[in-house]
Amino acid sequence: MTQPAPAAEAAAHKTAPADGGSPWRATLARADVRTLSLLGVLAALILIGGVTQPDSFLDTDNLQLILTQASVIGVVTVGMTFVIISGGIDLSVGAIVALASVWATTVATQEYGFAGILFTAVVVGMGCGLVNGLLIAYGGMVPFIATLAMLASGRGLALQITDGKTQMVTVDGVLRLGERDSYVLGIPPLVLVFAAVTVVGWLLLNRTTFGRRSVAVGGNAEAARLAGIDVRRQRLYLYLLSGLCCGIAAFLLIVLAGSGQNTNGNLYELDAIAAAIIGGTLLSGGRGTIVGSVLGVLIFTTITNIFALNNLETATQQIAKGAIIVAAVLVQRRTANNH
Amino acid sequence: MTQPAPAAEAAAHKTAPADGGSPWRATLARADVRTLSLLGVLAALILIGGVTQPDSFLDTDNLQLILTQASVIGVVTVGMTFVIISGGIDLSVGAIVALASVWATTVATQEYGFAGILFTAVVVGMGCGLVNGLLIAYGGMVPFIATLAMLASGRGLALQITDGKTQMVTVDGVLRLGERDSYVLGIPPLVLVFAAVTVVGWLLLNRTTFGRRSVAVGGNAEAARLAGIDVRRQRLYLYLLSGLCCGIAAFLLIVLAGSGQNTNGNLYELDAIAAAIIGGTLLSGGRGTIVGSVLGVLIFTTITNIFALNNLETATQQIAKGAIIVAAVLVQRRTANNH
Amino acid sequence: TSNEPKDEGSDDKEQQVADDKPGKKVTIGFAGPQADHGWLNAINDQAKKRAEKYSDVTLEATEGSNDTAAQIGQVETLINKKVDVLVVLPADGKALTQVGLKAMKAGIPVVNLDRVFATPQAYRCWIGGDNYGMGLSAGHYIGEKLKDKKNARVVELAGLDNLELTKQRSKGFDDALKNYSNIEKVARQAADFTVESGQSKMSQLLQAQKNFDALWNHDDDQGVGALRAIKQAGRDDFLMVGGAGALSAFQAIEADNSVLKATVLYPPTMAASAIDLARALGQSKGVSGMAEFEIPSFVTCYSAVVDKDNVDQYMSTGFK
Amino acid sequence: MAPEPPLLTMSGITKSFPGVRALDGVDLQVQAGEVHCLLGQNGAGKSTLIKVLAGAHQPDGGEITWRGERTALKSPIAAMRLGVATIYQELDLVEHLSVAENVHLGHEPTTAGFVVRARDAKASTAALLKRLGHGEIDPGRLVGELSAAQQQIVSMARALSHEVRLIVMDEPSAALDPDEVDNLFRIVGDLTADGVAVVYISHRLEEIRRIGDRVTVLKDGRAVAGGLPAKDTPTKDLVALMTGRNLEYVFPDRPTGPPAAEPVLTVRGLTRHGEFEPLDLDLRPGEIVGLAGLVGSGRSEILETIYGARKASAGQVSVGGETLRPGSVRAAVRAGLGLAPEERKAQALLMLESVTRNVSVSTMSRFSRGGWVDRGAELRAARAATRELSLRPDQPHVPVRTLSGGNQQKAVLARWLLRGCRVLLLDEPTRGVDVGARAELYAVIRRLADDGLAVLLVSSEVPEVLGLADRVLVLREGRVVHRAPARDLDEHRVLDLVLEGSPAS
Ligand SMILES: Nc1ncnc2c1ncn2[C@@H]1O[C@H](COP(=O)(O)OP(=O)(O)OP(=O)(O)O)[C@@H](O)[C@H]1O
Ligand SMILES: Nc1ncnc2c1ncn2[C@@H]1O[C@H](COP(=O)(O)OP(=O)(O)OP(=O)(O)O)[C@@H](O)[C@H]1O
Ligand SMILES: [Mg+2]
Ligand SMILES: [Mg+2]
């Protein structure tokens, strides 16, 4: 998909070097404009939340809640960001979360306790990622179609395994992780995992050859090939990474919900892609940031939270959500262009 | 999103001029390989259907049924094909179908009878398309995000209008259109509308300046702009067209279901995009065919029909659907490459 | 347009009553929504198990779709297959009316399960639950428990809001609460029948409402998530009433160690009854336990409230 | 000749793409320390040959010997390991990565095998850029922000970041200024002095004369001559080998006397802040005006602003007396302007589409009634236009991407020819176009002018501007520093003006 108004994009680019001075500052400034505008949107939301619900919104409990709610989809979004940066897309994330969460909570798996659940979730996630990666990198399938097929099959398999039933977790260690006693310095473990995944994702993207190569494959696959990068293998790794993130997210969801269910992760694909794009990742590949994606997730989660605290009706919530997305993006564009 | 293996794509292209002779034949040959491989997949499915359910599958009733089922999503897919060819995407089609179908079946609308329902469905569809188009073409929003916002708001508004209730159609003329007495030479009116939309879409794409411009904008927006095409206006028209198709589809759905419902059109966006891509439309824009998209729709509908006739369980259906998509695409690629 | 039962058998002087003994072979077509949820899954299970019990019944089950157009297609498939009787649980009752009519016109009697068609012409027999009544039961139960409390506050965790049944449940609940002037409903949020959404919406409700006295949750599946959220928030200062009748809910009520004190039934066993009715229709027999020759045209299942006192009695009907 | 075995021998290399035999048994022999030039028309197979050498294409047949030993170059990495580095014709950089990241892409300096030592990468990139005489390029900047010339330098730095024994340069000078080219040749000199071999591809014969040692000429995927002395082989012979014809590499005659007609294009005080200063210009029918200047002097910006593709900060453009709405391409096109932009692929061509559709895209409405395209009329008209420019192959339905560079350029010209425009804006019309096609293009451009078209020409090749244009405007940093009839200028004078910028009047 092409992005409209490349001119504006280019304009946003042009400015950076122009304000002269240290190029390091220029780079910073460039990143900043985008990130700042996202932070601005988030700040505006927090203001709205604080004004409409002064008691319940700016409460520690509520901040913990927002962050916890953001954790599961946040981890998925980190993986998705890599995939989109590399010029691909992964529609199967929700289905993979569902499959991993039910596979990891079968009676047989639960016998192996904490480790069994964690291990299964991660391995199932990576297994699905591997299939996606093989189909796309070596089978030459279009990512949209390959991962759509995985979506269908993954959900089917999850239903097959559960037979539609909710699988309760009986392993104490796992359950406890989702409860208040496990908070570390007031931070829920789920949030810690999310933070860790974010940091690792950031390092991976910005400080390692893996990250460079992902950007290169997305920005110009032919150039990457000519530079000696094994483009296919890189693509395979990227879907594997997305699968891994889904596996971790599935584990978090198991902890959060104390159960595994085949309806888990419903429409995560849309949420994760939307968060990444709002965060500044180009759907056509070649550019994106982890920080932006995470801010995108937080923006969406905060919106939902404010709606619920204000007891809005479902219909109003949906209508307002669309309007807020439009407003946020238009404001963001305006800020970015004015710099 | 970039497509992998551009080399193979290129290969498929190159062949055409080489076999020399009439260029018309060359064009035909190129189109044929792709279309033939889709027809092959469809034939294989029909074979499977005929073998597994010899009595019920190849029955006139069943063929009428498959085509009727394909009509609603088929009309949506024709509009979607144009949007994708132009390098965009429309995630809001399902929501627009829902909104148009409930708006057109309110008590107030039904007072105006057949014309009132048809008119409202089409106008609401085009209105939503207009908003999408304005946001994307003139607001500079990324199509994915703009239409995602429309998805949320559209569904919210549909829920608002119905308050969750299904609205029965009381207009006789509309109801009768879905019944057997209205069949023309054994062809249900819905199928006739689908056929008409397909033909008009084909002509529009292949025989008019509108089609040329759509392809040009999708193939290289900057080149189109410098060649004197008003790219923004073209984009606006394209989303308007997609909205129009959604409005028509909403009307068909009203006829089919004898009612309007806010849950209508669920996940049509994925189905329509998938059908278009399976049919050979490039997700990155610049190439696509109406015939391919329609074949894509028929393939998906036939798969569902065969599953239903064979009494497969939901889980099995979903798993098999994923596998069939993969198989179909891989077979198709192989055929295309061998030519 | 014939709403009459089939001619065969109606000549008999004495109407036979369907029993467990094998009779005329009957093919029953069964179409339901996508069984991705505990209660819907239980519906499928109940139907299948009951059909297996009869050697004379063949079940043609086209399973699940939540999309109106797709489900219409599935029912039409069954009509084309010329099954003897149809059992249809529509994703949306009104939207499938047309196809119900079509089946009846084609001479296939339709047993409409739960979500009701817009016109009785579209079914021979309807059996289902009472969503409004479910809300009423929940409201009255909570009302009675809180009737002595001043300024009592109640919270509702509704199900999928774009389904009509959710609105009916809420309406019943609100109407029942009107009888209790001391009770105010302070918040309502809708989840979507999944554990994940139940957990998420409930934690936000708990955050929004720092104190309330009772909670009604429409669905025990999403209740698993809601209970989890309540545990995570460390709250136990209110009473919770569930809906539908899942086994896990019964167990929790029996154990009496959580806020969940009762659940309002919406029995999936109605699917088994539907199969019985369909078989009887196919064999042109009546049902036992009734004086009438004919099968009734409308059967509404009662939404009983299950609490600690009667949970033993219902334990066996709980679905997983 | 040196007694030691040649550094590289390629023999009988064949390579087919579906439907095209790109290489048909090519032989190439390169000695250490020499500059070996590859010559050939567009589509002769030069790039394909060097891609085989770079491991980017696998040959269908033939043998490659490296320092006397047979090898197979299975992948770009394998070639890099041997010491073969390549600067590709199509810039192969990743826009959203920085200069340093691009230079080290695929062989980043790392700790523990995967953590990039960014500081080291930057330092070594800075050193390479300095060696290339471009210390001013900041290794931390994104490549997408650099000009085409700077990107070319980055490509070169990337090639030199490997241990090289053989460096391949595929038309490196196409986007470079004269002094940049001098700089390039200095680097080539340094490299060969160190015993590194250079394979050099260019369509500019004078460059080959200057630095080449030996020449191999390709024609239709075959080496028609190998190891010719670069300095002494007569131009006539080289051109004949390449084209199979005897072609005079000359510019068409100018009409005698200046055209008398009223100006068709009038530009008054046209400005874009930061890009170019107020510009006045009159262009008469039948006249070719050239804009000379360095890369980055703002010539493309001027053309695009006149055309409405960029919005002017001030000033106005009128065509035939009518003032154009600023920032509107459509207004410009309607008034009779046509632009053949600098980046053919990115800005002008619909690569997946047929020649006909590329030619007719600006004229569709003429062949349509109520939006309905009369495809017969369209085809006939487009064909007439492409035939007039002798575009080859004469197959209107082939996708334009299969055409060679020169023919793609002709397709763009045909678009405006068909439209019947009054003013043609040409931005680097012969970039990457071979000698034969170039001579044809010159003739075409002059003929169009003779038929009453006004032409505004931008070219980085000074001889081209001087040879083709009637009048020349010399630009320096966005400012016109000199205006004169072309016959009053010579290359030396223009270069002085361009570099030093002596006062305008
Ligand atoms: N990837 C490819 N797929 C198909 N055909 C190709 C491909 N690359 C090159 N060709 C064809 O091979 C032939 C040789 O092309 P090549 O790029 O080697 O020419 P060249 O000598 O470099 O021309 P130029 O001077 O224009 O750069 C041409 O006909 C071209 O169209
Ligand atoms: N996309 C871009 N981003 C940032 N700067 C740019 C971009 N394109 C051009 N520039 C800058 O704008 C100025 C003019 O560039 P440009 O190369 O178009 O000039 P030109 O005179 O047309 O040269 P050429 O001979 O290449 O056509 C240069 O300083 C260049 O670095
Ligand atoms: Mg080349
Ligand atoms: Mg330029």
Side-chain angles (χ1 to χ4, degrees):
Chain A
M1 277 155 269
T2 50
Q3 317 279 339
E9 285 286 346
H13 265 289
K14 278 253 167 109
T15 40
D19 35 69
S22 135
W24 165 240
R25 237 213 262 119
T27 319
L28 202 73
R30 190 171 51 240
D32 268 1
V33 175
R34 212 174 281 282
T35 313
L36 278 179
S37 75
L38 285 171
L39 282 173
V41 170
L42 196 56
L45 287 174
I46 290 175
L47 197 73
I48 295 172
V51 168
T52 54
Q53 296 291 325
D55 301 334
S56 45
F57 184 78
L58 287 173
D59 191 2
T60 329
D61 281 357
N62 195 44
L63 298 182
Q64 286 170 348
L65 176 62
I66 292 180
L67 290 173
T68 310
Q69 303 265 298
S71 301
V72 182
I73 185 71
V75 170
V76 172
T77 305
V78 169
M80 181 70 88
T81 304
F82 274 91
V83 169
I84 300 181
I85 284 178
S86 79
I89 198 150
D90 189 350
L91 295 182
S92 64
V93 289
I96 298 179
V97 167
L99 182 59
S101 76
V102 301
W103 205 319
T105 51
T106 57
V107 179
T109 323
Q110 293 206 34
E111 273 178 17
Y112 296 91
F114 192 107
I117 294 181
L118 178 57
F119 179 79
T120 310
V122 167
V123 166
V124 171
M126 291 183 76
C128 294
L130 181 70
V131 174
N132 279 337
L134 288 174
L135 289 176
I136 292 163
Y138 296 93
M141 280 181 76
V142 180
F144 191 97
I145 295 293
T147 58
L148 186 75
M150 175 59 78
L151 191 173
S153 292
R155 289 234 170 258
L157 206 54
L159 181 55
Q160 183 92 297
I161 290 176
T162 58
D163 195 19
K165 299 186 175 75
T166 305
Q167 302 177 153
M168 302 301 298
V169 172
T170 53
V171 177
D172 253 2
V174 173
L175 288 175
R176 218 175 317 119
L177 212 55
E179 285 157 26
R180 202 163 280 270
D181 344 332
S182 314
Y183 287 14
V184 182
L185 304 173
I187 305 171
L190 296 196
V191 177
L192 290 177
V193 173
F194 176 28
V197 170
T198 303
V199 170
V200 171
W202 190 89
L203 290 173
L204 201 58
L205 183 60
N206 296 292
R207 292 284 178 269
T208 69
T209 54
F210 181 86
R212 300 290 158 81
R213 289 171 189 183
S214 305
V215 176
V217 167
N220 188 341
E222 179 63 8
R225 189 177 79 90
L226 294 178
I229 292 172
D230 189 336
V231 174
R232 292 178 165 193
R233 195 169 43 177
Q234 185 69 21
R235 287 219 169 97
L236 178 66
Y237 287 163
L238 281 158
Y239 288 91
L240 212 55
L241 175 69
S242 175
L244 168 64
C245 287
C246 292
I248 297 175
F251 181 75
L252 298 188
L253 194 52
I254 291 170
V255 170
L256 193 63
S259 62
Q261 207 194 6
N262 64 322
T263 52
N264 278 345
N266 192 27
L267 296 188
Y268 274 17
E269 50 279 9
L270 279 189
D271 292 345
I273 299 171
I277 295 181
I278 286 265
T281 300
L282 279 188
L283 197 47
S284 49
R287 194 186 71 207
T289 67
I290 298 295
V291 175
S293 294
V294 168
L295 285 175
V297 169
L298 290 178
I299 287 174
F300 279 116
T301 319
T302 309
I303 292 178
T304 318
N305 181 269
I306 293 174
F307 285 165
L309 292 188
N310 281 292
N311 205 26
L312 290 195
E313 288 190 14
T314 313
T316 323
Q317 289 195 14
Q318 291 177 343
I319 298 172
K321 186 172 174 186
I324 290 180
I325 293 175
V326 170
V329 172
L330 292 182
V331 166
Q332 198 189 334
R333 285 187 61 81
R334 186 162 287 262
T335 343
N337 286 353
N338 284 354
H339 271 70
Chain B
M1 278 154 268
T2 50
Q3 319 276 340
E9 285 288 343
H13 263 287
K14 271 276 161 89
T15 38
D19 33 72
S22 136
W24 167 240
R25 237 212 262 121
T27 320
L28 203 74
R30 189 171 53 240
D32 266 2
V33 175
R34 210 174 283 281
T35 313
L36 278 179
S37 75
L38 284 170
L39 282 173
V41 169
L42 196 55
L45 286 174
I46 292 175
L47 197 72
I48 294 172
V51 169
T52 54
Q53 295 290 326
D55 300 333
S56 44
F57 184 78
L58 288 173
D59 196 7
T60 328
D61 281 356
N62 194 47
L63 297 183
Q64 285 170 345
L65 176 61
I66 293 180
L67 290 174
T68 310
Q69 293 281 298
S71 301
V72 182
I73 184 72
V75 170
V76 172
T77 305
V78 170
M80 181 70 89
T81 305
F82 275 91
V83 170
I84 300 182
I85 284 178
S86 79
I89 198 150
D90 189 349
L91 296 181
S92 63
V93 289
I96 298 180
V97 168
L99 183 59
S101 77
V102 302
W103 204 319
T105 51
T106 56
V107 179
T109 323
Q110 293 206 35
E111 273 178 16
Y112 296 91
F114 192 106
I117 295 181
L118 178 57
F119 179 78
T120 310
V122 166
V123 167
V124 171
M126 291 183 76
C128 294
L130 181 70
V131 174
N132 280 336
L134 288 174
L135 289 177
I136 292 162
Y138 296 92
M141 282 182 74
V142 180
F144 192 96
I145 294 292
T147 58
L148 186 75
M150 176 59 76
L151 192 173
S153 293
R155 288 236 169 257
L157 206 54
L159 178 55
Q160 185 90 298
I161 290 175
T162 57
D163 194 23
K165 300 189 178 71
T166 304
Q167 304 173 155
M168 297 305 298
V169 172
T170 52
V171 178
D172 252 3
V174 174
L175 292 175
R176 216 174 318 118
L177 214 54
E179 285 158 26
R180 199 163 281 268
D181 342 334
S182 314
Y183 288 12
V184 181
L185 303 173
I187 305 171
L190 296 196
V191 177
L192 290 178
V193 173
F194 177 27
V197 170
T198 304
V199 171
V200 171
W202 189 90
L203 291 173
L204 200 57
L205 182 62
N206 296 291
R207 291 286 181 273
T208 70
T209 53
F210 181 87
R212 295 290 174 81
R213 296 202 176 105
S214 307
V215 177
V217 168
N220 187 341
E222 177 65 3
R225 187 175 80 97
L226 291 180
I229 292 174
D230 189 335
V231 175
R232 294 179 163 192
R233 193 165 45 168
Q234 186 66 22
R235 285 218 169 99
L236 179 66
Y237 288 163
L238 282 157
Y239 288 92
L240 213 54
L241 175 68
S242 176
L244 169 64
C245 287
C246 292
I248 297 175
F251 182 75
L252 298 189
L253 197 52
I254 291 170
V255 171
L256 193 65
S259 62
Q261 206 193 349
N262 71 80
T263 52
N264 275 344
N266 192 28
L267 295 187
Y268 274 17
E269 51 278 9
L270 278 188
D271 292 346
I273 300 171
I277 295 182
I278 287 264
T281 300
L282 278 189
L283 197 46
S284 49
R287 199 184 64 209
T289 67
I290 299 294
V291 175
S293 294
V294 168
L295 286 175
V297 169
L298 290 178
I299 287 173
F300 279 116
T301 318
T302 310
I303 291 178
T304 316
N305 181 266
I306 293 174
F307 285 164
L309 289 182
N310 280 294
N311 230 346
L312 290 194
E313 289 194 8
T314 314
T316 324
Q317 286 194 16
Q318 291 179 340
I319 298 172
K321 186 172 174 185
I324 290 179
I325 294 175
V326 170
V329 172
L330 292 182
V331 165
Q332 198 189 335
R333 286 185 60 81
R334 185 162 288 261
T335 342
N337 287 352
N338 284 354
H339 270 73
Chain C
T1 38
S2 155
N3 233 353
E4 316 281 297
K6 286 190 179 170
D7 288 341
E8 338 153 17
S10 58
D11 290 339
D12 292 1
K13 286 281 173 284
E14 196 164 329
Q15 173 72 8
Q16 285 180 298
V17 158
D19 52 27
D20 289 357
K21 282 183 225 116
K24 181 179 158 231
K25 294 250 183 265
V26 181
T27 306
I28 300 175
F30 180 80
Q34 196 165 320
D36 52 7
H37 168 260
W39 186 82
L40 291 171
N41 192 56
I43 284 280
N44 282 328
D45 276 357
Q46 291 279 352
K48 275 189 201 149
K49 291 237 176 64
R50 186 57 67 117
E52 274 162 23
K53 208 182 100 182
Y54 301 116
S55 58
D56 51 5
V57 168
T58 315
L59 194 68
E60 289 272 0
T62 72
E63 259 177 285
S65 173
N66 293 333
D67 183 58
T68 298
Q71 209 184 11
I72 289 173
Q74 295 183 336
V75 177
E76 297 217 2
T77 312
L78 291 171
I79 298 173
N80 290 347
K81 274 184 157 182
K82 305 187 174 59
V83 295
D84 299 320
V85 192
L86 264 173
V87 176
V88 181
L89 200 177
D92 179 276
K94 291 180 190 162
L96 264 83
T97 306
Q98 290 303 315
V99 77
L101 282 169
K102 192 168 176 184
M104 293 290 285
K105 277 185 195 165
I108 303 173
V110 177
V111 177
N112 179 193
L113 182 54
D114 196 36
R115 301 180 191 170
V116 66
F117 291 147
T119 160
Q121 295 187 62
Y123 57 80
R124 164 63 185 78
C125 168
W126 176 85
I127 175 170
D130 180 3
N131 286 299
Y132 180 80
M134 190 184 176
L136 272 183
S137 294
H140 279 300
Y141 183 84
I142 287 175
E144 288 303 314
K145 292 280 176 199
L146 299 181
K147 69 168 177 264
D148 299 327
K149 182 150 183 141
K150 253 197 276 169
N151 301 326
R153 295 156 63 84
V154 172
V155 166
E156 183 181 10
L157 180 62
L160 205 55
D161 234 352
N162 52 22
L163 294 181
E164 192 163 354
L165 63 92
T166 300
K167 304 285 172 173
Q168 291 165 346
R169 288 179 187 183
S170 288
K171 179 95 175 30
F173 188 60
D174 291 344
D175 286 353
L177 290 184
K178 280 186 194 137
N179 297 315
Y180 307 91
S181 57
N182 62 321
I183 298 179
E184 188 197 355
K185 187 168 97 177
V186 291
R188 176 188 186 276
Q189 288 290 299
D192 54 17
F193 289 142
T194 64
V195 178
E196 190 184 350
S197 69
Q199 195 277 343
S200 159
K201 290 293 178 186
M202 194 62 224
S203 24
Q204 281 165 345
L205 272 175
L206 291 167
Q207 177 61 28
Q209 305 299 328
K210 289 294 160 64
N211 61 74
F212 56 90
D213 304 291
L215 158 73
W216 183 42
N217 161 48
H218 284 202
D219 176 71
D220 285 338
D221 248 23
Q222 69 187 27
V224 170
L227 279 170
R228 179 80 179 143
I230 291 163
K231 178 132 195 262
Q232 282 158 338
R235 296 271 290 269
D236 58 0
D237 49 341
F238 55 86
L239 109 101
M240 171 175 169
V241 175
L247 184 62
S248 64
F250 290 159
Q251 286 164 343
I253 291 166
E254 186 174 46
D256 196 18
N257 56 5
S258 70
V259 291
L260 186 64
K261 300 300 179 200
T263 190
V264 190
L265 282 192
Y266 202 84
T269 44
M270 64 178 72
S273 307
I275 295 294
D276 282 349
L277 290 166
R279 173 169 173 261
L281 278 171
Q283 296 177 339
S284 307
K285 293 174 179 168
V287 284
S288 64
M290 294 188 86
E292 278 77 16
F293 281 181
E294 300 295 350
I295 288 173
S297 66
F298 214 80
V299 182
T300 308
C301 303
Y302 180 62
S303 281
V305 178
V306 177
D307 63 6
K308 197 167 165 40
D309 299 336
N310 60 359
V311 66
D312 293 346
Q313 184 188 335
Y314 288 96
M315 195 59 90
S316 62
T317 68
F319 59 87
K320 279 190 217 152
Chain D
M1 280 243 167
E4 64 206 87
L7 181 66
L8 168 79
T9 312
M10 300 175 85
S11 50
I13 303 291
T14 58
K15 173 74 187 172
S16 295
F17 296 109
V20 187
R21 181 135 230 190
L23 298 177
D24 192 7
V26 175
D27 300 325
L28 177 70
Q29 212 181 62
V30 182
Q31 301 287 348
E34 75 162 337
V35 177
H36 196 110
C37 299
L38 279 182
L39 270 181
Q41 284 184 286
N42 293 123
K46 305 179 294 294
S47 297
T48 308
L49 181 66
I50 62 108
K51 280 192 178 170
V52 168
L53 172 56
H57 283 327
Q58 294 309 308
D60 301 332
E63 245 176 52
I64 301 173
T65 313
W66 181 256
R67 301 170 89 189
E69 280 176 43
R70 267 195 76 170
T71 58
L73 300 165
K74 286 260 176 261
S75 68
I77 297 242
M80 287 174 202
R81 289 218 181 94
L82 289 183
V84 178
T86 310
I87 300 165
Y88 294 96
Q89 182 175 13
E90 312 286 334
L91 286 181
D92 53 336
L93 299 173
V94 183
E95 285 197 8
H96 291 294
L97 288 180
S98 72
V99 171
E101 287 165 342
N102 266 288
V103 165
H104 289 281
L105 189 62
H107 59 283
E108 299 86 353
T110 57
T111 311
F114 68 96
V115 179
V116 177
R117 293 202 308 272
R119 204 179 296 253
D120 292 359
K122 271 194 191 160
S124 72
T125 304
L128 279 169
L129 289 170
K130 199 158 204 173
R131 177 170 158 209
L132 291 171
H134 280 273
E136 86 286 355
I137 301 178
D138 171 12
R141 263 180 82 179
L142 294 190
V143 157
E145 294 168 355
L146 302 179
S147 69
Q150 288 172 318
Q151 293 186 0
Q152 186 70 56
I153 304 294
V154 175
S155 268
M156 219 173 305
R158 163 132 119 225
L160 293 178
S161 70
H162 298 272
E163 280 284 313
V164 288
R165 290 178 184 282
L166 173 68
I167 185 161
V168 183
M169 303 184 177
D170 196 351
E171 301 194 34
S173 57
L176 297 182
D177 286 336
D179 62 334
E180 295 284 355
V181 173
D182 290 345
N183 186 33
L184 172 69
F185 288 174
R186 181 182 59 73
I187 296 159
V188 168
D190 290 353
L191 286 168
T192 46
D194 291 346
V196 174
V198 175
V199 172
Y200 190 90
I201 300 177
S202 175
H203 290 296
R204 300 180 186 167
L205 290 179
E206 64 280 8
E207 293 178 0
I208 285 160
R209 299 275 185 234
R210 272 176 66 194
I211 56 158
D213 293 316
R214 295 191 300 155
V215 176
T216 294
V217 182
L218 295 189
K219 181 175 186 312
D220 299 334
R222 260 180 259 252
V224 287
L228 301 175
K231 304 262 186 310
D232 328 315
T233 312
T235 300
K236 201 161 58 70
D237 294 359
L238 287 176
V239 173
L241 279 169
M242 273 193 282
T243 62
R245 296 175 282 162
N246 284 319
L247 233 163
E248 288 290 314
Y249 181 56
V250 289
F251 292 99
D253 293 334
R254 290 196 183 85
T256 49
E262 282 297 296
V264 56
L265 176 77
T266 329
V267 177
R268 289 292 174 266
L270 195 70
T271 315
R272 257 178 77 87
H273 295 312
E275 288 176 359
F276 57 89
E277 293 173 18
L279 171 82
D280 293 336
L281 177 70
D282 286 316
L283 201 56
R284 284 165 228 283
E287 191 180 32
I288 302 178
V289 172
L291 293 181
L294 293 184
V295 170
S297 58
R299 299 160 302 168
S300 295
E301 282 79 356
I302 289 175
L303 289 198
E304 289 176 11
T305 310
I306 291 175
Y307 191 61
R310 296 173 185 239
K311 197 165 180 177
S313 324
Q316 62 182 39
V317 177
S318 12
V319 178
E322 301 259 333
T323 305
L324 298 185
R325 190 152 63 86
S328 166
V329 171
R330 287 173 57 73
V333 170
R334 261 197 229 108
L337 255 52
L339 170 73
E342 183 173 10
E343 309 279 345
R344 278 192 297 269
K345 285 186 183 168
Q347 298 181 290
L349 295 170
L350 309 166
M351 296 303 276
L352 295 174
E353 293 272 49
S354 68
V355 174
T356 304
R357 289 188 173 198
N358 269 282
V359 171
S360 71
V361 67
S362 297
T363 327
M364 271 186 289
S365 41
R366 192 186 304 160
F367 308 108
S368 61
R369 184 165 298 156
W372 190 266
V373 181
D374 177 349
R375 296 186 309 146
E378 178 193 26
L379 180 61
R380 280 189 297 278
R383 197 155 202 175
T386 54
R387 284 207 169 133
E388 185 165 347
L389 301 181
S390 36
L391 185 147
R392 273 179 299 268
D394 186 20
Q395 290 177 7
H397 289 283
V398 300
V400 77
R401 59 185 303 233
T402 61
L403 300 186
S404 73
N407 284 303
Q408 288 181 348
Q409 188 69 47
K410 286 183 188 170
V412 178
L413 292 183
R415 175 185 296 171
W416 299 117
L417 188 64
L418 177 60
R419 168 105 203 160
C421 65
R422 306 158 76 183
V423 181
L424 196 51
L425 310 172
L426 301 177
D427 199 351
E428 307 281 6
T430 61
R431 176 170 292 176
V433 172
D434 70 52
V435 189
R438 210 175 262 237
E440 276 177 25
L441 274 177
Y442 293 151
V444 164
I445 292 167
R446 174 49 74 186
R447 199 169 68 237
L448 292 174
D450 290 346
D451 291 347
L453 218 66
V455 178
L456 189 56
L457 168 78
V458 165
S459 171
S460 294
E461 290 178 50
V462 177
E464 188 169 293
V465 178
L466 293 180
L468 199 55
D470 303 308
R471 284 192 294 136
V472 176
L473 273 61
V474 182
L475 273 117
R476 202 179 116 79
E477 289 171 2
R479 199 160 50 86
V480 178
V481 293
H482 193 73
R483 298 168 188 255
R487 69 174 79 83
D488 299 348
L489 290 166
D490 60 25
E491 192 171 349
H492 192 70
R493 172 105 175 98
V494 173
L495 284 178
D496 278 352
L497 284 165
V498 152
L499 295 169
E500 317 300 338
S502 35
S505 50

